[in-house]
Amino acid sequence: MNLIASPEISFEEAIDLTAQFINTIPELSDSEKSSIVSALVLTENGARGFFVTYLTSENEVIDRTDLSIIEGLKKSPEIVSELLVKNVAMSTAMGITHTRNNNLEMAQKSARVTQRSLNFIQQLSLAEISIKIQQLISSIECKEGLYQQFLTKWGYDEEQKQAIIDIFNK
């Protein structure tokens, strides 16, 4: 698979490339997997496209630990940590919304994204992730801070915010 890392990669291109990547994972060497993932997560658009596709994929290959993918993610600790923390928050909150709306299939999909994101967080074990988790929790508890704009943008209610705190404190 030929992937050229470009600062101009669009979100849509990253989604397409990630879908291709997922379908070819079994055929790729560890160094190819690491290099493709690191190229994708060099930019925010690339990383967003990677995570939205990878974390929601129905392909069972996603749920197998692949250290070469972890190594690729480690190449962009700031972008990756920010997006993983937000993915946990968003999927946790959406799980509650889907449950309230009696959409159990979507609630299960949200729970799967939360779990996959938490698995990445655990495997990456980056200091940046711990800092961002604490900043998010602080923003929820103090109703101000680095993540307040994010929380306000998505309009999370108290139950959702508490669930976000709880999922990170497990």
Side-chain angles (χ1 to χ4, degrees):
M1 181 175 183
N2 186 14
L3 177 65
I4 300 170
S6 165
E8 292 86 33
I9 191 169
S10 72
F11 177 62
E12 293 77 15
E13 289 169 330
I15 288 171
D16 291 342
L17 287 170
T18 303
Q20 292 172 34
F21 169 69
I22 291 167
N23 291 330
T24 59
I25 285 175
E27 302 151 25
L28 298 171
S29 71
D30 287 347
S31 65
E32 288 172 317
K33 289 184 275 190
S34 179
S35 150
I36 291 166
V37 171
S38 66
L40 277 165
V41 299
L42 280 176
T43 66
E44 189 170 332
N45 276 342
R48 285 178 51 240
F50 172 79
F51 283 123
V52 76
T53 307
Y54 196 88
L55 295 173
T56 61
S57 175
E58 297 292 330
N59 191 322
E60 75 253 4
V61 75
I62 299 306
D63 293 312
R64 295 186 200 119
T65 299
D66 192 320
L67 296 179
S68 58
I69 292 172
I70 299 301
E71 288 308 309
L73 292 173
K74 285 183 177 181
K75 302 290 185 192
S76 296
E78 274 302 316
I79 293 172
V80 166
S81 60
E82 179 81 10
L83 290 175
L84 282 173
V85 169
K86 286 181 175 178
N87 269 305
V88 170
M90 293 169 76
S91 57
T92 299
M94 283 309 299
I96 291 171
T97 299
H98 293 313
T99 300
R100 288 175 184 161
N101 293 332
N102 291 319
N103 190 339
L104 299 183
E105 181 182 344
M106 289 303 293
Q108 288 174 334
K109 288 181 180 188
S110 290
R112 184 175 63 191
V113 170
T114 299
Q115 191 54 57
R116 286 176 172 173
S117 299
L118 289 169
N119 289 344
F120 271 145
I121 285 172
Q122 182 181 24
Q123 293 169 9
L124 286 164
S125 196
L126 296 170
E128 291 89 344
I129 292 175
S130 297
I131 292 166
K132 291 180 186 317
I133 290 170
Q134 288 311 309
Q135 290 170 330
L136 175 60
I137 290 172
S138 176
S139 292
I140 292 170
E141 292 174 343
C142 300
K143 298 182 183 358
E144 63 181 23
L146 189 63
Y147 285 92
Q148 190 54 47
Q149 184 177 358
F150 165 77
L151 296 166
T152 301
K153 174 183 177 183
W154 295 107
Y156 299 138
D157 62 29
E158 292 308 310
E159 181 186 5
Q160 290 169 315
K161 290 178 197 174
Q162 188 59 53
I164 292 166
I165 291 171
D166 292 345
I167 199 78
F168 282 122
N169 285 330
K170 276 189 177 180

